[in-house]
Amino acid sequence: MLRLAQAASSEFGTKYGTPPNQLRTPGKLDGELNVVNFYGGWQYVFRPKDEQTAERIADFVLGAVENGAYIGYGQDSLKSDGGRYPRTTLFDALFQMADPDPRKVKTLCNCDCTALMGDALYFGAKIYNPDFRTMWSRTERKMIMDTGMFVELTDPLLLELGTGLMRGDILLRYNAATQEGHTACAIDSDDHHETFPVKINHCSKSRIRSGPGVEYQTLMVVSDGEIYEAEGTAKDSDGFPWYRVHYDDDGQDCIGYTSSAYAAPLPQGRCTSDTWLRKSAGTKGKQIIVIPKGAEPYLTGAKKKVLLRTWYECIYGGHRGWASGLNVKEKK
């Protein structure tokens, strides 16, 4: 699945140009700043020349989306908010911070799609051009390319289908006749989105928070032994790693952070020959997927004996089930 992060809330609704939306459910990636599945209609993709810059841009934009309680959508052109929350207020709030981080903004502020990308370039990619504060769709292409840090891509498959899209890519469309445009940032890559399971350990009640650190809001309390899919780590203010994990909230896939002090990646086994992953332990268990010889499924730590044979609970290819100990071995 390819996803884009953007500021594109209610461009034709009542929230356009109003104070930030504080009613969004914490942890859900919707609202005035949001994450959506990839859609086409783009004219340009700007790709950072190095992976570090791409990651900083993607992490910044996602961080702003996650802080929907304080960061909303608004523009200068509509004065329905009395001028208190123009599109530049996110930039101004970050500029006052010693360590600018959109997840730590605690004052009401706004941005629009291009202001969000401008802030990501300034504070995320650390390209200190003050003109990014007031970047618009009509100026975005030139300003990005003038940095010398991006390549411009116009492959139709990339623009319409996302084929070859990379995390940290910036997408743009702009109609000069109407002066209307939009921009977004890719937070996934087309090849595959790497995830790995982590297990809550040594803690009866741990927490998933809205950001990497104990100062962030609690989204969910989790118990010892629970397993979550992680897509990487982020460090807190002391440099300690937190896992960025997916969790379910009323059927919606949400993202939060849990401390590596109480979570660890699952160990991996090794498959010595092709074998079935089954819904339940034993040869009568419903077949899910074949684990091929040489694959390294994750082991949850659970084991069962069925007719004197050991079965291991495994996670492989996004599926969770049981595999025979005749074919899956614990790695020493």
Side-chain angles (χ1 to χ4, degrees):
M1 179 179 65
L2 289 171
R3 298 171 299 164
L4 306 179
Q6 59 184 9
S9 66
S10 306
E11 296 190 31
F12 306 101
T14 57
K15 293 176 184 174
Y16 188 67
T18 63
N21 173 19
Q22 299 178 73
L23 303 178
R24 194 182 75 173
T25 304
K28 292 191 176 181
L29 303 182
D30 56 6
E32 296 200 324
L33 274 64
N34 49 68
V35 168
V36 296
N37 292 337
F38 178 86
Y39 56 92
W42 304 101
Q43 292 171 291
Y44 311 100
V45 168
F46 307 108
R47 176 163 296 166
K49 292 181 178 179
D50 67 89
E51 293 182 2
Q52 292 78 14
T53 299
E55 177 57 34
R56 289 197 295 265
I57 291 171
D59 186 67
F60 180 96
V61 177
L62 182 59
V65 172
E66 290 173 349
N67 193 5
Y70 292 96
I71 304 172
Y73 185 101
Q75 285 192 342
D76 296 8
S77 56
L78 297 184
K79 299 299 183 180
S80 56
D81 64 2
R84 290 176 296 169
Y85 306 103
R87 65 194 291 270
T88 55
T89 45
L90 173 58
F91 185 102
D92 296 338
L94 291 163
F95 196 76
Q96 299 301 316
M97 299 171 68
D99 182 21
D101 181 349
R103 295 182 177 91
K104 296 182 180 179
V105 170
K106 299 300 180 187
T107 57
L108 295 180
C109 55
N110 268 338
C111 63
D112 65 3
C113 61
T114 44
L116 178 60
M117 294 306 142
D119 295 350
L121 292 166
Y122 190 98
F123 298 103
K126 303 185 186 302
I127 308 172
Y128 298 120
N129 179 352
D131 291 338
F132 286 142
R133 178 177 181 271
T134 54
M135 185 172 73
W136 292 92
S137 296
R138 63 180 178 271
T139 62
E140 181 175 350
R141 180 187 180 194
K142 184 178 187 305
M143 291 180 67
I144 288 177
M145 295 309 295
D146 281 351
T147 66
M149 299 175 63
F150 294 79
V151 294
E152 182 181 291
L153 305 172
T154 56
D155 184 332
L157 290 176
L158 179 67
L159 302 174
E160 295 298 330
L161 301 177
T163 303
L165 197 70
M166 300 294 291
R167 177 174 166 87
D169 284 352
I170 296 175
L171 302 90
L172 172 68
R173 65 169 181 259
Y174 176 65
N175 186 324
T178 62
Q179 296 188 12
E180 294 177 340
H182 187 55
T183 186
C185 177
I187 58 171
D188 296 316
S189 295
D190 180 44
D191 49 0
H192 57 283
H193 193 54
E194 292 283 357
T195 62
F196 54 94
V198 295
K199 184 176 182 180
I200 306 300
N201 292 316
H202 314 303
C203 185
S204 59
K205 288 185 178 180
S206 185
R207 286 164 173 77
I208 294 177
R209 298 181 179 270
S210 60
V214 295
E215 69 272 23
Y216 290 98
Q217 183 177 1
T218 295
L219 304 177
M220 187 177 183
V221 176
V222 296
S223 301
D224 194 54
E226 293 183 20
I227 296 172
Y228 296 90
E229 285 292 317
E231 58 176 40
T233 60
K235 293 182 179 180
D236 62 19
S237 56
D238 294 322
F240 193 79
W242 288 60
Y243 292 108
R244 182 187 289 128
V245 297
H246 292 258
Y247 68 98
D248 180 82
D249 186 359
D250 292 331
Q252 182 169 351
D253 180 31
C254 301
I255 290 179
Y257 295 80
T258 192
S259 173
S260 63
Y262 304 113
L266 290 180
Q268 290 179 275
R270 183 167 182 82
C271 193
T272 57
S273 63
D274 294 353
T275 191
W276 281 105
L277 185 70
R278 298 175 180 271
K279 282 284 188 181
S280 58
T283 56
K284 294 183 179 180
K286 183 179 179 180
Q287 298 166 341
I288 302 173
I289 190 175
V290 171
I291 308 175
K293 179 180 179 180
E296 297 184 348
Y298 293 96
L299 304 179
T300 69
K303 302 178 185 179
K304 286 185 179 180
K305 286 275 191 180
V306 179
L307 298 177
L308 303 179
R309 183 187 302 175
T310 300
W311 290 73
Y312 294 99
E313 188 182 36
C314 305
I315 296 176
Y316 179 77
H319 301 278
R320 186 170 175 173
W322 295 83
S324 171
L326 290 177
N327 303 315
V328 172
K329 307 298 182 183
E330 296 180 84
K331 292 176 69 174
K332 302 301 183 181

